[in-house]
Amino acid sequence: MKNEVQMKGKFHYRLSGWKYSTALRVILFLLLGLIFYTSLYAKLVPQVYDIQLGTKSEKTIYAPRQIENAVATEQAKEDAAKRVQPVYRIVNLKNDIMLDAIFDKLLQINSDEEVKFDDKVSIFRTVIPQMLSDLQSQAIKSLSISGQYNDPLLEQIQKGLAEQSYPLPEEAYFKLPRLTKEDLADMRPVAKDIVGKLMNDQVLDAQTARAKVAELVNTSKLTKTLSREMVTEIARTLITPNKFFDQKGTDDAKGQARENTKPIYINKNDVLVKAGDVITEEIYARLDKLELLKDKANHLPQLGLGILAALLSFVVFMFVKQSKLQLAYNNTQLLMLVLIYVINILGMKIISIIQNVEYPYVGYLAPAAMGSILIAILLDAPLAFISSVIFSLMSSIIFNTEHEQLFDFKYGLVTLVICFSAVFTIQRASQRATILKAGFMIAFFSMLTITSILLMEDHFEQREVLFSLAFAAAGGIITVVFVIGLLPFFETAFGILSPLKLVELSNPNHPLLRKLLTETPGTYHHSVMVGNLSEAAAESIGADGLLCRVGSYYHDIGKTRRPSYFIENQTNIENPHDRIDPNLSKSIIIAHPRDGVEMLKDFKMPKAIRDIAEQHHGTTLLHYFYHKAKKLVEEDNSDKPVREEDFRYPGPKAQSKEAAIVGIADSVEAAVRSLRNPTLEQIDSMVTKIIKSRLDDGQFNECDLTLKELDIIAKTLNETLLGIFHSRIEYPSEVAPKKNE
C-alpha cells in the first residue's frame, strides 16, 4: 500500500504528456514562424486584386506603400521644361576688325591716282562684299576652332548673318571713290564709335539696330554730307546680329529642368482607385507597378518572407535547444514565450497603424521593449537579448514608411538599444520599482539614440526633433504600464515565480509569515536559518537561490496547526511526545507537510512553493519515533511488528534541485543545532552523514542533482553553519536525525 502511494506521488509530480510532447514543441515553433510571417506580410507582400482593364473597380484600393506617380511626375517635368526660356548666345564677330579692313582698302584704292574712277567703282563693287564675306567666314571658323560653340549654333550664326545682311546700295559704290584721304580719316573714328556702341548691345534683330545709325551720325562731328552718307551705309553694313538662338543649349536647359523636378509621390494609404471607378490604362499601369494585380502577382516576396520567418524561428529554436532552462523541455514555458512574442509584435503593429509618411516618428511610441523585459523577468536574460535582436529587426520592417529599402535602420537601432538597456536594468530586479526604473532607462536611451541619428543626418527640423523625443519618452512610460499590467497575468496563468514575485512573498508582513512568527517563533527562526543555508547552497550549483530561500520560509508552515508538538516551539513546557504513543507522534509529525500544502493552497501560493513544502522531507524515516516504537515493543515483549514504512513521510521525493536542497538544509540546520559548541570537524561530519544518508535512502532519485553538485552543496553548507547555534536534543549516533520535525 505504501509503495502504491509513493508511485502515485511520483507520477503525480511528473509533467503531463503534452508538456513533454515533441510534436507540440514543433507545432509551437512553427506557430512562432507563422507569427513572424503574418506580422510582416502586409509590409513586405502587397495585397493583390482581380482587376481587368476597362472594368469598374468593386472596391476602393489604397496604396500599400509610397510610390512615384509617373504620369504626374512626367507632366511636372514637361511643365518645368516649358517654363525654360530659350537660350541665346552672344557672339563676338569682330566687326571692328572688318571696319578697319574696309577703311584700309578705301584708303589704298582712293590714294592710287592711276586707277580711273570707273575702275574704282568696279573694284569697290567686287572687293568690299567679298572682303566682308571672307572676314565673317574667318570669324565663324575661329569660333568653331575654340570649341565653345556647337555645330547647330554655328549653323544658326551663318544663317542669321546671311538672312540679316545689309549690302551697300549701288549708288554708294559711285560715292566711295570721291572720298579723300582726309575724309576717310574723319570718318573712321566716327564709324568705329557707332559700330562699337551698337554692337555692345545684344543684337537679335540687326534691322532695329541699323535704324539708330542715322541718328548717331547726325550727332557726330562730321560736316560733309558725303561723309555722313558713307559712314551711315558702311556702319549699317557692319552691324550684324550677335545674339543667336542656341537650340542645344535650350534642350540642355530643358533637360536639366526635367532632372531637377522632384518626383510626385502617391503616399501610403492614398486612394489609387475608388469603388465604381473605371480602370483606365493609367490606373492599370499604376496598379501593375505596385504589383497589386492578381494575374501579374509576384510570389517571390512571399517566398523571401517565408525564409526570413523560418530563420527567425530557427534562431529561437537553436537557442532554446542549447539552453539549460526548463524552457528546453517544458512546453508550458515555450507557450508563454510565444504568447509574449505575440503581445509584443501586436503592440508594434497597433502603433504602426497610426504611423504615416507625414508623422513617421510615431513609431518611437511603440512598447517594443515590453517583450524583452517580460522574457528577462519570467524566463531568462540571455534569451531576452536574443529576442531583442529579433524585435529590433521586425521593428525596422514594421515601422518602415519610406519603402526605399526593406529595413529602416533608425527604428531597428532604437529598438535594439532600448531593449538591451531594459534587460540590463531588469535582469537582477528584486522590486517592482525596478520596472519603473527600466521605463526611465528606455525613455532616456531612446531619446539619446534618436538624437544621435538626427545629428548624423544633419538635415533635421525642429518639429521633427521635438516630436521624436516626445514620442520616445512616452514610449518608455507605455512600456512600463504594459509590463506591470501583464506580469501578474503571466505569473498566475503559467505558474511562473518571477524574482519580483518571490521577493514579495518573502515580505515578513505576509499573513502566513506573520502567523508563523507569532504562533511558532521557534519554527520561524528555524525557517529563516534554513532559507539562508539553502540559498547559499543553491547559488553554489547554479540553482534558484531566491526560490530556495522563500520556499524555506514556508516549508514548515504546517507546524502552525499543532505548534507545541515541535521541539523548537516547546519553550518552558513539557514535551507532549513524552506522554503519547510513538505512532500518534508519528502521525502528527508527518502531517505537517500535508497541512502546510493545504494552507498554502488556501492562500493561493505558487505551486513551486507548495512543492517545496510537500517534498522537503521526501520519504525519509522518522528515526527517533521508529526506534522508540521498537523499544516499546521489546519492553512489552509484543509480537506486533514495527514496520519502517509506517514511520516514513508519505512523500513525494524531491522533484527539483530546489526542493532537495531545502530538504538537506532543513535536516542539517536541525542536526547542527542539536550539537553543543559544534566544531568545524563536527559540522563537516554531520553534513556529510546527512547527505550520504539521504543519497543512500534514494531521496535524490527523482531530481537531477549530481554527485559533484552534492559535494559542492556540502562544502557550501559547512562554510555557513559555524555561526548557527540552537538547542536541540542529541540524536542517535546512527545519523543524528531530528526528533520531531
Side-chain angles (χ1 to χ4, degrees):
M1 180 66 181
K2 191 69 173 179
N3 291 334
E4 182 180 350
V5 172
Q6 291 178 354
M7 291 298 293
K8 287 183 179 179
K10 174 180 177 179
F11 287 106
H12 176 74
Y13 283 90
R14 290 288 188 185
L15 290 176
S16 56
W18 72 270
K19 295 181 181 180
Y20 271 138
S21 173
T22 302
L24 180 58
R25 294 185 67 74
V26 173
I27 292 174
L28 287 175
F29 279 111
L30 290 177
L31 177 62
L32 185 60
L34 182 62
I35 292 169
F36 292 144
Y37 184 88
T38 54
S39 61
L40 300 177
Y41 187 90
K43 281 288 184 177
L44 301 179
V45 180
Q47 184 180 359
V48 294
Y49 300 89
D50 187 10
I51 293 178
Q52 301 297 327
L53 184 64
T55 62
K56 290 185 178 182
S57 176
E58 298 179 356
K59 57 181 67 177
T60 300
I61 301 176
Y62 299 91
R65 63 178 184 272
Q66 188 183 64
I67 183 178
E68 181 181 345
N69 189 336
V71 175
T73 300
E74 189 60 32
Q75 184 61 47
K77 289 181 177 180
E78 290 302 319
D79 292 342
K82 290 178 181 179
R83 289 193 294 269
V84 173
Q85 298 297 322
V87 176
Y88 290 89
R89 296 289 294 276
I90 306 302
V91 180
N92 183 8
L93 296 173
K94 301 180 181 179
N95 301 63
D96 54 338
I97 295 177
M98 296 180 188
L99 186 142
D100 286 334
I102 290 175
F103 272 94
D104 290 341
K105 181 59 69 174
L106 291 174
L107 181 61
Q108 176 189 356
I109 295 175
N110 286 350
S111 299
D112 190 351
E113 296 179 356
E114 296 181 357
V115 181
K116 296 181 179 179
F117 180 84
D118 292 338
D119 293 335
K120 290 181 179 180
V121 172
S122 178
I123 292 172
F124 288 144
R125 185 183 292 117
T126 303
V127 172
I128 291 178
Q130 185 62 43
M131 183 186 299
L132 290 173
S133 178
D134 292 343
L135 290 173
Q136 287 179 352
S137 297
Q138 290 178 8
I140 293 173
K141 185 177 181 180
S142 64
L143 294 176
S144 177
I145 294 173
S146 68
Q148 299 179 5
Y149 302 90
N150 53 72
D151 292 340
L153 178 58
L154 294 173
E155 293 176 2
Q156 187 68 24
I157 293 173
Q158 288 179 331
K159 180 181 178 181
L161 292 176
E163 291 178 352
Q164 298 192 47
S165 62
Y166 181 83
L168 285 172
E170 182 62 23
E171 62 270 18
Y173 294 115
F174 290 93
K175 296 179 180 180
L176 290 175
R178 296 191 178 94
L179 296 173
T180 64
K181 180 178 180 181
E182 289 75 15
D183 293 337
L184 292 173
D186 292 337
M187 292 167 56
R188 185 190 292 256
V190 174
K192 183 176 289 189
D193 181 64
I194 293 173
V195 172
K197 181 179 295 185
L198 293 177
M199 292 304 295
N200 279 336
D201 296 332
Q202 297 180 11
V203 180
L204 182 62
D205 182 12
Q207 187 61 33
T208 303
R210 289 170 185 148
K212 301 177 183 179
V213 172
E215 181 181 353
L216 295 174
V217 170
N218 291 333
T219 58
S220 68
K221 297 179 180 180
L222 295 175
T223 57
K224 288 185 176 182
T225 302
L226 179 61
S227 297
R228 287 172 175 268
E229 291 178 358
M230 290 302 98
V231 166
T232 301
E233 297 302 332
I234 292 172
R236 287 175 177 172
T237 302
L238 293 175
I239 290 176
T240 61
N242 61 4
K243 181 179 180 181
F244 300 93
F245 174 68
D246 186 355
Q247 183 65 51
K248 185 176 184 303
T250 302
D251 293 340
D252 291 344
K254 290 183 177 181
Q256 189 65 38
R258 290 189 180 94
E259 291 180 4
N260 293 337
T261 301
K262 294 183 179 180
I264 298 176
Y265 290 100
I266 298 174
N267 293 322
K268 176 185 176 183
N269 296 327
D270 283 355
V271 176
L272 295 174
V273 56
K274 294 181 179 179
D277 288 352
V278 177
I279 306 300
T280 63
E281 291 186 0
E282 177 185 342
I283 295 175
Y284 191 83
R286 190 177 299 163
L287 296 175
D288 186 21
K289 187 174 182 180
L290 282 168
E291 299 177 348
L292 297 178
L293 300 177
K294 186 175 182 180
D295 56 344
K296 295 185 178 181
N298 182 9
H299 298 290
L300 292 180
Q302 296 175 344
L303 177 60
L305 177 57
I307 295 174
L308 176 62
L311 288 174
L312 295 179
S313 182
F314 181 73
V315 168
V316 179
F317 167 77
M318 290 304 298
F319 182 86
V320 170
K321 181 180 179 182
Q322 297 179 17
S323 69
K324 296 182 179 180
L325 305 170
Q326 292 186 25
L327 187 68
Y329 56 83
N330 189 337
N331 290 337
T332 303
Q333 291 195 4
L334 180 58
L335 177 61
M336 181 176 65
L337 176 66
V338 173
L339 184 57
I340 290 175
Y341 269 86
V342 171
I343 294 175
N344 199 71
I345 295 172
L346 184 62
M348 292 192 291
K349 292 289 289 182
I350 292 174
I351 296 299
S352 69
I353 294 176
I354 60 177
Q355 183 193 31
N356 53 41
V357 178
E358 186 177 357
Y359 296 97
Y361 26 76
V362 174
Y364 297 130
L365 187 65
M370 173 179 59
S372 297
I373 296 177
L374 290 173
I375 293 172
I377 295 175
L378 299 172
L379 294 171
D380 180 54
L383 179 59
F385 285 120
I386 295 296
S387 301
S388 297
V389 176
I390 295 176
F391 291 146
S392 66
L393 179 64
M394 299 189 69
S395 176
S396 66
I397 298 175
I398 292 175
F399 297 115
N400 182 14
T401 57
E402 298 179 355
H403 294 283
E404 295 179 0
Q405 295 179 340
L406 293 178
F407 309 94
D408 190 334
F409 82 96
K410 292 183 290 187
Y411 297 99
L413 178 60
V414 171
T415 300
L416 185 65
V417 170
I418 64 175
C419 287
F420 271 41
S421 62
V423 175
F424 280 126
T425 304
I426 208 73
Q427 62 178 332
R428 298 187 181 275
S430 59
Q431 297 179 1
R432 295 194 184 270
T434 310
I435 300 177
L436 184 60
K437 178 182 177 182
F440 288 118
M441 297 297 289
I442 290 171
F444 172 74
F445 280 103
S446 179
M447 296 169 67
L448 189 63
T449 307
I450 292 169
T451 302
S452 171
I453 294 173
L454 293 175
L455 291 176
M456 287 188 289
E457 289 182 340
D458 196 25
H459 57 268
F460 54 85
E461 299 178 355
Q462 183 178 0
R463 175 174 174 268
E464 178 183 3
V465 174
L466 294 177
F467 274 103
S468 297
L469 297 181
F471 281 123
I477 298 174
I478 291 176
T479 301
V480 169
V481 171
F482 276 106
V483 170
I484 294 177
L486 289 171
L487 196 56
F489 162 75
F490 283 105
E491 291 174 339
T492 303
F494 293 92
I496 297 295
L497 261 181
S498 67
L500 300 177
K501 182 67 173 179
L502 285 172
V503 170
E504 288 179 355
L505 294 177
S506 68
N507 189 335
N509 290 320
H510 190 281
L512 284 179
L513 293 183
R514 289 179 62 84
K515 179 180 179 66
L516 189 68
L517 175 62
T518 57
E519 298 181 10
T520 56
T523 301
Y524 179 84
H525 184 266
H526 160 72
S527 298
V528 172
M529 293 299 101
V530 172
N532 294 335
L533 288 172
S534 62
E535 182 178 30
E539 290 180 349
S540 68
I541 64 169
D544 193 338
L546 184 57
L547 174 59
C548 286
R549 176 161 64 90
V550 179
S552 297
Y553 291 168
Y554 295 92
H555 80 288
D556 277 343
I557 193 66
K559 292 182 179 180
T560 58
R561 290 276 179 91
R562 304 171 186 87
S564 62
Y565 285 87
F566 299 91
I567 193 170
E568 66 268 24
N569 302 313
Q570 297 169 3
T571 305
N572 299 323
I573 64 172
E574 181 184 358
N575 189 343
H577 291 288
D578 294 338
R579 296 180 285 103
I580 62 177
D581 184 77
N583 286 288
L584 179 57
S585 297
K586 174 261 302 183
S587 300
I588 295 173
I589 297 301
I590 65 175
H592 85 269
R594 182 184 66 251
D595 293 338
V597 171
E598 292 176 357
M599 294 176 66
L600 293 173
K601 283 184 178 179
D602 292 339
F603 278 83
K604 295 182 172 52
M605 297 293 283
K607 186 176 183 300
I609 302 295
R610 302 200 308 266
D611 288 345
I612 289 176
E614 191 171 14
Q615 300 168 18
H616 72 280
H617 282 300
T619 58
T620 55
L621 177 66
L622 288 168
H623 288 277
Y624 181 84
F625 295 110
Y626 172 64
H627 290 297
K628 182 178 179 181
K630 288 182 65 176
K631 185 177 179 180
L632 290 176
V633 169
E634 292 174 357
E635 291 177 352
D636 295 341
N637 295 320
S638 173
D639 294 333
K640 182 179 180 181
V642 178
R643 298 191 308 170
E644 183 178 299
E645 292 80 2
D646 295 336
F647 286 85
R648 285 185 176 272
Y649 283 94
K653 295 178 181 179
Q655 305 293 304
S656 64
K657 289 183 179 181
E658 288 76 15
I661 292 171
V662 171
I664 294 172
D666 180 48
S667 296
V668 166
E669 197 277 339
V672 172
R673 283 192 177 275
S674 69
L675 302 176
R676 294 183 177 87
N677 301 320
T679 64
L680 179 60
E681 291 75 13
Q682 289 176 315
I683 291 175
D684 181 61
S685 175
M686 185 68 71
V687 171
T688 302
K689 285 181 179 181
I690 290 174
I691 293 179
K692 185 177 184 303
S693 174
R694 282 183 171 249
L695 181 62
D696 294 339
D697 198 27
Q699 298 303 315
F700 305 135
N701 290 353
E702 298 181 18
C703 65
D704 53 354
L705 276 176
T706 64
L707 293 176
K708 182 180 179 180
E709 288 174 337
L710 288 173
D711 184 56
I712 296 174
I713 290 172
K715 292 179 180 179
T716 304
L717 291 175
N718 287 332
E719 293 173 358
T720 55
L721 272 170
L722 286 177
I724 299 177
F725 296 94
H726 189 66
S727 177
R728 295 275 181 168
I729 63 172
E730 292 283 357
Y731 284 85
S733 60
E734 180 179 346
V735 175
K738 295 182 286 185
K739 175 180 178 181
N740 46 3
E741 303 222 7

